[in-house]
Amino acid sequence: MTTPSKNSSERRAHLVQLAGDLFAEKGFRATTVRNIAEAAGILSGSLYHHFDSKESIGDEILSAFLDDVLAGYRSAVASTDDPRKAIEEIVRSSTATLSRHRAALTMLQNDWSYFSAQPRFGYLRTAMKEIEQTWVEQLERGKQTGVFRADLDARLVYRLLRDILWIPTSWRPSKGAGWSTDEIVDGLLRLLFDGITA
Amino acid sequence: MTTPSKNSSERRAHLVQLAGDLFAEKGFRATTVRNIAEAAGILSGSLYHHFDSKESIGDEILSAFLDDVLAGYRSAVASTDDPRKAIEEIVRSSTATLSRHRAALTMLQNDWSYFSAQPRFGYLRTAMKEIEQTWVEQLERGKQTGVFRADLDARLVYRLLRDILWIPTSWRPSKGAGWSTDEIVDGLLRLLFDGITA
Amino acid sequence: MTTPSKNSSERRAHLVQLAGDLFAEKGFRATTVRNIAEAAGILSGSLYHHFDSKESIGDEILSAFLDDVLAGYRSAVASTDDPRKAIEEIVRSSTATLSRHRAALTMLQNDWSYFSAQPRFGYLRTAMKEIEQTWVEQLERGKQTGVFRADLDARLVYRLLRDILWIPTSWRPSKGAGWSTDEIVDGLLRLLFDGITA
Amino acid sequence: MTTPSKNSSERRAHLVQLAGDLFAEKGFRATTVRNIAEAAGILSGSLYHHFDSKESIGDEILSAFLDDVLAGYRSAVASTDDPRKAIEEIVRSSTATLSRHRAALTMLQNDWSYFSAQPRFGYLRTAMKEIEQTWVEQLERGKQTGVFRADLDARLVYRLLRDILWIPTSWRPSKGAGWSTDEIVDGLLRLLFDGITA
DNA sequence: GATGAATGAGTCTTCATTCAT
DNA sequence: AATGAATGAAGACTCATTCAT
């Protein structure tokens, strides 16, 4: 388990990991290829043995993230008929997913205008649309069945909730008094369902 | 035509405004000096008659923002003894402030790692500390007086609330089905105080 | 006449000239942007104040050349009804044109595969087609009117003649025993019309 | 399977062949070692088991070509006393040689400045000198014996004829309405000896 | 105040080459 | 013989900044 065949793909995955950490820390554009190479202890040109461009590294990170998110959303929706449970499931799956893809989220938040302008990253818009649809559908159904307040603006609530959900991911792990993912989620869900008032 | 010195400072303010819009749109680092100059209809070199560096433009935008925020926080706290009212006031003042400083906030979110690493922008950390202290103080007082739930983790709630509060600012005005600032704040406050359940 | 307003466009033209000389000497691809900049006594990055890419310099040189060639061909054809005179006129105009565009021709010969593969240089193919058509038309008409041998393969002769015509341009001016353009053309025309035999 | 050493040299010859095709197509410098390796179905590093550098492949191609050309010239001159026959023989031998060494000729035409500047390829200049001498000698003898026009500039005619002779080699085989080598040579010789006029 | 030319450091990327396995 | 990882030098291009006019 410790020293198996360190394949090409493992090396590659390691490099993606390193790159992701840097992207999460300073943003995609602000991270130079040299930064990544230095983190890996090689020269910048050597990265091109593994990837054909900086963007293809970004691509790998982003598409893996969105695949994961969408999978979670789909299975959340498929698992129940109760909108409230579906939302809860979406939140829980998001949290798990997000902690695995901190880099991707930071990239999306920081460099959205950069990525979304490129045809290569067209799937970003597609995926975001599916995410929005999923939320809005569950919220609307909840309104109809009386689980949620009838006066909610589903799209507005979606935007707020989605962004709220994505907040903790961007918190640096270095932040001294760190909270565990679970603590954060609990705090969040409590806030969402119950508010802060006693 | 009337007062040359005023014209000069107006011109300058206009340039800062233009720069800010671009910073908000694409981030500070991703915006080039040429972008700003083009928006102003001049050549990039000419900007240096008004500012001695790109960073000094950023400085102007960021410090104006933080001055405004802190002023709002201080007067919110000074205006009442009731922690809940103080928090409400902080939220309301934040919203007003933020809509006036969209660029600054985007810069802080996008390029925080860049700015915070530079001595020149040391005041950013100082200001953020005061902001945190203000929130935490009011939350703790609310817990003691029983207005807020006793089990709240003040710092965690602060981080969540502050970031939640800052979310809508980053929403592009171009977003088709746009909401007014008031709608967003109402939605937000309702979410915070009451949750989404019926 | 000696020191007029050294406009921006003159500077630019001078740089194109320098670049062209280098392209003619070593080919387009083999010439680096640094080579050009050094020839101009500036740094390579400074070239981008005048051109937005190396290719745009090439574009300028190539399109100017083809415009010139086609103009010559068109006026040659328009000037007479006699195919032999038309061909003669084409040859003479070519020679004049070619001596003014040595760089362009070398680029076309050396790096044709590079340019012709790019959409940006699509006009190259278009222009070459018009050139071929012009030759073939005159040759065919000459065959019909009996001025040229009836057994000529017009396209083959065109290819041979065009390439023959373009040969001397690629001769380096440095070649010690240089011939004047006129000498070369005379030798060429004589060869073409009369052969080498006594 | 039978004779490993032969297999080895066959493999090597095959690689040279592949490289030559690419050189002929895009030029020596524009062809990357990776291009060659890919054509051979191996990785670029593996080529270095067969050759110690890209240049040594070029060397192999160029020297084989020049050896062949010179052999042809020498035997052409040795075979007759009649300058016209000698020239004819040179033309015929060239044609045969050239069709076997398309790559070499393209390399010479495209990247002459690159090769001729390197000591390693010093033999290129030596060989070209012998080629020139051979032509000039036969032309001068023809002038003296009255076979050729007395007013020919031997060196000029040599340059023209040599380059003319080399033209068809650079024509891509892909050119739709392709002509056979024989057709081309016939067209050429006819042009040279008789001109195009009826 | 603005222009236009230039700088110099840095960005992503390419490529011939090396070498341990 | 070949692979796969790496090197190091170079290439095209970008950008904040400077400065004479």
Side-chain angles (χ1 to χ4, degrees):
Chain A
M1 284 293 177
T2 36
T3 47
S5 60
K6 285 245 169 185
N7 332 353
S8 160
S9 74
E10 273 181 38
R11 176 77 173 133
R12 193 188 158 88
H14 177 57
L15 291 172
V16 171
Q17 172 66 38
L18 289 175
D21 290 347
L22 289 166
F23 293 159
E25 198 183 316
K26 347 197 285 181
F28 179 77
R29 287 151 115 166
T31 302
T32 72
V33 165
R34 247 214 295 283
N35 291 155
I36 303 171
E38 264 161 24
I42 58 178
L43 289 180
S44 70
S46 307
L47 271 182
Y48 289 79
H49 182 60
H50 304 277
F51 309 95
D52 42 71
S53 70
K54 182 184 167 186
E55 263 163 35
S56 80
I57 306 181
D59 200 342
E60 214 148 301
I61 293 174
L62 288 176
S63 56
F65 167 59
L66 288 172
D67 286 351
D68 230 0
V69 173
L70 291 181
Y73 273 49
R74 284 170 196 151
S75 93
V77 169
S79 72
T80 177
D81 260 0
D82 178 355
R84 170 160 178 157
K85 278 191 183 151
I87 294 276
E88 260 193 60
E89 205 44 50
I90 283 175
V91 171
R92 298 212 176 273
S93 97
S94 289
T95 319
T97 305
L98 292 173
S99 71
R100 257 180 283 125
H101 297 277
R102 220 168 58 85
L105 194 49
T106 313
M107 288 161 69
L108 244 33
Q109 288 169 336
N110 262 23
D111 299 291
W112 171 261
S113 73
Y114 174 74
F115 289 119
S116 68
Q118 292 179 251
R120 165 172 203 168
F121 292 98
Y123 62 85
L124 291 180
R125 290 188 182 282
T126 318
M128 295 310 282
K129 260 180 220 150
E130 185 176 339
I131 290 176
E132 170 170 347
Q133 267 179 348
T134 309
W135 274 95
V136 169
E137 255 173 48
Q138 298 308 314
L139 289 170
E140 291 291 359
R141 286 187 51 234
K143 282 164 67 178
Q144 282 167 6
T145 62
V147 196
F148 298 139
R149 295 206 317 263
D151 62 338
L152 289 182
D153 176 333
R155 286 196 61 234
L156 176 57
V157 171
Y158 146 69
R159 282 298 315 252
L160 285 167
L161 289 187
R162 192 206 66 186
D163 285 0
I164 289 172
L165 221 47
W166 286 6
I167 285 174
T169 313
S170 64
W171 294 358
R172 305 289 178 63
S174 54
K175 276 286 172 209
W179 298 277
S180 76
T181 309
D182 281 346
E183 283 170 323
I184 295 173
V185 186
D186 284 347
L188 205 46
L189 283 175
R190 223 162 168 174
L191 225 54
L192 285 187
F193 287 117
D194 307 320
I196 58 172
T197 23
Chain B
M1 289 288 179
T2 38
T3 35
S5 68
K6 196 192 171 191
N7 263 341
S8 164
S9 77
E10 268 177 31
R11 178 95 175 107
R12 191 189 160 87
H14 177 58
L15 291 173
V16 172
Q17 172 66 35
L18 289 175
D21 289 347
L22 289 166
F23 293 158
E25 200 183 314
K26 343 197 288 179
F28 179 78
R29 289 154 111 164
T31 301
T32 71
V33 167
R34 195 122 110 227
N35 290 154
I36 304 170
E38 263 161 24
I42 57 178
L43 289 181
S44 67
S46 308
L47 270 182
Y48 288 80
H49 283 284
H50 304 277
F51 310 95
D52 44 75
S53 73
K54 184 184 167 187
E55 264 160 35
S56 78
I57 306 182
D59 200 342
E60 214 147 303
I61 293 173
L62 289 176
S63 54
F65 167 59
L66 289 172
D67 287 351
D68 230 358
V69 173
L70 291 181
Y73 274 49
R74 284 170 195 148
S75 95
V77 169
S79 71
T80 177
D81 259 359
D82 178 355
R84 171 163 176 152
K85 277 192 184 154
I87 293 276
E88 261 193 57
E89 206 44 49
I90 283 174
V91 170
R92 299 214 175 272
S93 96
S94 290
T95 318
T97 306
L98 291 173
S99 71
R100 257 178 284 124
H101 295 276
R102 220 168 60 85
L105 192 50
T106 312
M107 288 161 68
L108 245 33
Q109 287 170 335
N110 261 22
D111 299 292
W112 170 262
S113 73
Y114 174 73
F115 290 120
S116 68
Q118 294 179 250
R120 164 171 206 168
F121 291 98
Y123 63 84
L124 292 180
R125 291 188 181 281
T126 319
M128 294 310 285
K129 260 180 220 149
E130 184 175 339
I131 289 174
E132 170 170 347
Q133 269 179 347
T134 310
W135 274 93
V136 169
E137 255 173 47
Q138 299 307 315
L139 288 170
E140 290 293 359
R141 285 188 50 232
K143 282 165 66 177
Q144 283 167 6
T145 61
V147 197
F148 298 139
R149 296 205 315 262
D151 61 339
L152 289 182
D153 176 333
R155 284 196 62 235
L156 175 57
V157 170
Y158 147 68
R159 281 300 313 254
L160 283 168
L161 290 187
R162 191 207 66 187
D163 285 359
I164 288 173
L165 222 49
W166 286 6
I167 284 174
T169 313
S170 64
W171 293 0
R172 303 286 181 68
S174 54
K175 274 288 170 210
W179 299 277
S180 75
T181 309
D182 281 347
E183 283 170 320
I184 296 173
V185 185
D186 284 348
L188 204 45
L189 286 176
R190 222 160 169 176
L191 224 55
L192 287 187
F193 288 116
D194 307 321
I196 59 172
T197 22
Chain C
M1 285 293 178
T2 36
T3 48
S5 59
K6 284 245 169 184
N7 331 353
S8 161
S9 75
E10 273 180 38
R11 176 77 172 132
R12 194 188 158 89
H14 177 57
L15 292 172
V16 171
Q17 173 65 36
L18 289 175
D21 290 347
L22 289 166
F23 294 158
E25 198 184 314
K26 347 198 287 180
F28 179 79
R29 286 150 114 166
T31 301
T32 71
V33 165
R34 219 161 22 240
N35 291 154
I36 303 171
E38 264 160 24
I42 57 180
L43 289 180
S44 71
S46 307
L47 270 183
Y48 289 81
H49 181 60
H50 304 277
F51 309 96
D52 43 70
S53 71
K54 183 184 165 186
E55 262 163 36
S56 80
I57 307 182
D59 199 342
E60 213 148 303
I61 292 174
L62 288 176
S63 55
F65 167 58
L66 288 172
D67 286 351
D68 231 359
V69 172
L70 290 182
Y73 273 50
R74 284 169 195 151
S75 94
V77 169
S79 72
T80 177
D81 260 0
D82 179 357
R84 171 164 177 155
K85 276 191 183 153
I87 294 276
E88 261 193 59
E89 205 44 49
I90 284 175
V91 171
R92 299 214 174 273
S93 98
S94 290
T95 319
T97 305
L98 292 173
S99 70
R100 257 179 284 125
H101 296 276
R102 220 168 58 86
L105 193 49
T106 313
M107 288 161 70
L108 245 32
Q109 286 169 337
N110 261 24
D111 300 290
W112 171 261
S113 72
Y114 173 74
F115 289 119
S116 68
Q118 294 179 249
R120 164 171 205 168
F121 292 99
Y123 63 85
L124 291 180
R125 289 187 182 282
T126 317
M128 294 310 282
K129 260 180 219 149
E130 183 175 340
I131 289 176
E132 169 170 347
Q133 266 179 347
T134 309
W135 274 94
V136 169
E137 255 172 47
Q138 298 307 314
L139 288 170
E140 290 293 358
R141 286 188 51 233
K143 281 164 67 177
Q144 281 168 5
T145 61
V147 197
F148 298 140
R149 294 204 319 261
D151 63 336
L152 290 180
D153 176 334
R155 285 196 62 234
L156 176 57
V157 170
Y158 146 68
R159 283 298 315 251
L160 285 167
L161 290 187
R162 192 207 65 187
D163 285 1
I164 289 173
L165 220 48
W166 286 5
I167 284 174
T169 313
S170 64
W171 294 358
R172 306 287 177 63
S174 53
K175 275 287 171 210
W179 298 276
S180 76
T181 310
D182 281 346
E183 283 169 322
I184 295 173
V185 185
D186 284 346
L188 205 45
L189 283 175
R190 221 159 171 177
L191 225 53
L192 285 188
F193 288 116
D194 307 322
I196 58 170
T197 22
Chain D
M1 289 290 179
T2 39
T3 36
S5 69
K6 197 193 169 188
N7 264 340
S8 163
S9 77
E10 268 177 30
R11 177 96 174 107
R12 192 190 160 88
H14 178 58
L15 292 172
V16 171
Q17 172 66 35
L18 289 174
D21 290 346
L22 289 166
F23 294 158
E25 202 184 311
K26 344 197 285 179
F28 179 78
R29 290 154 109 166
T31 302
T32 72
V33 168
R34 194 122 112 223
N35 289 154
I36 303 170
E38 263 160 25
I42 58 178
L43 289 181
S44 65
S46 308
L47 270 183
Y48 288 79
H49 283 285
H50 303 278
F51 309 95
D52 44 76
S53 73
K54 183 185 168 186
E55 264 160 35
S56 79
I57 307 182
D59 199 343
E60 214 147 302
I61 293 174
L62 288 176
S63 55
F65 167 60
L66 288 172
D67 287 352
D68 229 357
V69 173
L70 290 181
Y73 273 49
R74 284 170 195 148
S75 96
V77 169
S79 72
T80 177
D81 260 0
D82 179 357
R84 170 160 179 157
K85 278 190 183 154
I87 294 276
E88 262 192 56
E89 205 44 48
I90 283 174
V91 170
R92 300 213 175 273
S93 97
S94 290
T95 318
T97 306
L98 292 173
S99 71
R100 257 178 284 125
H101 295 276
R102 220 169 60 85
L105 193 48
T106 313
M107 288 161 69
L108 245 31
Q109 287 170 336
N110 260 22
D111 300 291
W112 170 262
S113 73
Y114 173 73
F115 290 119
S116 68
Q118 294 179 251
R120 165 171 206 168
F121 292 98
Y123 63 84
L124 292 179
R125 290 186 183 282
T126 317
M128 294 310 284
K129 260 180 220 149
E130 184 176 338
I131 289 175
E132 169 169 348
Q133 267 177 349
T134 309
W135 274 93
V136 169
E137 254 172 49
Q138 297 307 315
L139 288 169
E140 290 293 359
R141 284 188 50 235
K143 281 163 67 178
Q144 281 167 8
T145 62
V147 196
F148 297 141
R149 295 205 316 262
D151 62 338
L152 289 182
D153 176 333
R155 287 196 60 233
L156 176 56
V157 170
Y158 147 69
R159 284 297 315 251
L160 284 167
L161 289 187
R162 192 206 65 187
D163 285 0
I164 288 172
L165 222 47
W166 286 6
I167 284 174
T169 313
S170 64
W171 294 0
R172 304 284 181 66
S174 53
K175 274 288 170 212
W179 298 276
S180 75
T181 309
D182 281 346
E183 284 170 320
I184 295 174
V185 184
D186 284 347
L188 205 46
L189 285 175
R190 220 159 169 178
L191 225 55
L192 286 186
F193 287 117
D194 306 323
I196 59 171
T197 21

